Amino acid sequence: MAPLTLALVEDDPEVRALLTQYFGQQPDMRLTVVAASAEELLRELAVAHPPQIALLDLGLPGMSGLDLLTTLRARFPQTDVIIQTVFDDTDRIYQALCNGASGYVLKNAPLEQYREAIVEVSQGGAYFSRAVARRVLQHFKPTPQTRPEVLSERERDVLQALVDGLSDKQVAERLHLAHATARTHVRNIYRKLQINSRSELLTRAARGQL
């Protein structure tokens, strides 16, 4: 199986070097583009094949990370974007969700969490650290209100776990389900609620629209 192709946009040289070294040691992942700014990334992508996943810092010089996120989603819709940043304020998190981010990882997270986020997103899911999900939920105070006839009791349990920011694997562990069973419930929830992605689900939850 071909390794996942990644792009990294990080202006801090120490963080950039650390992540470059870490991903260089992952046999199933390959950094194809490493850039220090949004402008540098876009120049590289003008002549390079778009990566499957882009790791994007928000605090960039020149074009902001949020503006770059919007540009990437418009130009390269096949590329999923994971935000990796020191910023954990609700406004930035919410803007990133609304602009199409598939994940949000804080820079103080263990390196293994980056890997977990990439694997989850590559499999069609989304990844948001628990601290990030909790901050959004506390700010907007969403209360999922689905009609009993729409979702089964187990699906409502899975939905609540998703809104709590858990990955599919963590949902399975919380509810004592097989991983495949949890993913089936997630797909059924998406179908019944007419949701296309984890980021859309969390955005709608944040708005109180579930």
Side-chain angles (χ1 to χ4, degrees):
M1 184 175 179
L4 291 169
T5 55
L6 311 174
L8 172 64
V9 191
E10 171 58 63
D11 67 319
D12 185 317
E14 292 185 4
V15 175
R16 190 168 63 247
L18 177 65
L19 291 175
T20 298
Q21 179 183 26
Y22 175 72
F23 289 118
Q25 297 170 347
Q26 308 306 308
D28 56 344
M29 298 177 183
R30 182 165 61 91
L31 269 176
T32 58
V33 179
V34 178
S37 68
E39 292 81 1
E40 182 180 354
L41 175 72
L42 294 175
R43 286 195 300 270
E44 292 283 346
L45 292 183
V47 295
H49 190 73
Q52 292 168 273
I53 296 174
L55 285 165
L56 170 60
D57 184 16
L58 288 184
L60 295 172
M63 179 188 288
S64 73
L66 284 172
D67 286 341
L68 176 58
L69 169 59
T70 302
T71 300
L72 288 176
R73 297 302 298 141
R75 295 188 188 178
F76 309 104
Q78 71 274 35
T79 297
D80 289 305
V81 178
I82 297 174
I83 301 299
Q84 54 100 23
T85 182
V86 297
F87 298 117
D88 64 349
D89 59 281
T90 305
D91 286 343
R92 282 190 176 90
I93 296 168
Y94 184 64
Q95 284 182 289
L97 285 173
C98 291
N99 289 0
S102 296
Y104 202 108
V105 178
L106 298 179
K107 285 187 180 180
N108 60 1
L111 289 172
E112 291 76 12
Q113 195 172 108
Y114 282 81
R115 177 180 175 80
E116 185 178 349
I118 290 168
V119 171
E120 181 68 27
V121 168
S122 72
Q123 294 174 350
Y127 188 97
F128 301 92
S129 68
R130 291 190 181 187
V132 170
R134 185 161 48 247
R135 185 175 290 275
V136 173
L137 297 175
Q138 288 174 345
H139 182 80
F140 291 99
K141 295 182 174 62
T143 53
Q145 298 177 350
T146 55
R147 293 175 298 166
E149 66 271 21
V150 174
L151 298 182
S152 69
E153 181 177 355
R154 177 56 79 188
E155 287 168 347
R156 290 197 297 274
D157 292 340
V158 172
L159 174 63
Q160 184 59 60
L162 295 175
V163 171
D164 287 345
L166 302 189
S167 67
D168 289 354
K169 180 180 179 182
Q170 292 167 331
V171 170
E173 292 173 350
R174 174 190 280 191
L175 301 177
H176 306 293
L177 300 171
H179 191 191
T181 302
R183 295 188 73 87
T184 297
H185 283 311
V186 171
R187 287 194 295 269
N188 289 338
I189 290 169
Y190 285 7
R191 176 177 55 81
K192 291 181 178 181
L193 299 184
Q194 299 182 339
I195 289 173
N196 296 315
S197 67
R198 189 75 59 93
S199 58
E200 181 182 349
L201 183 147
L202 291 177
T203 299
R204 284 175 57 177
R207 293 172 173 171
Q209 294 176 344
L210 291 181

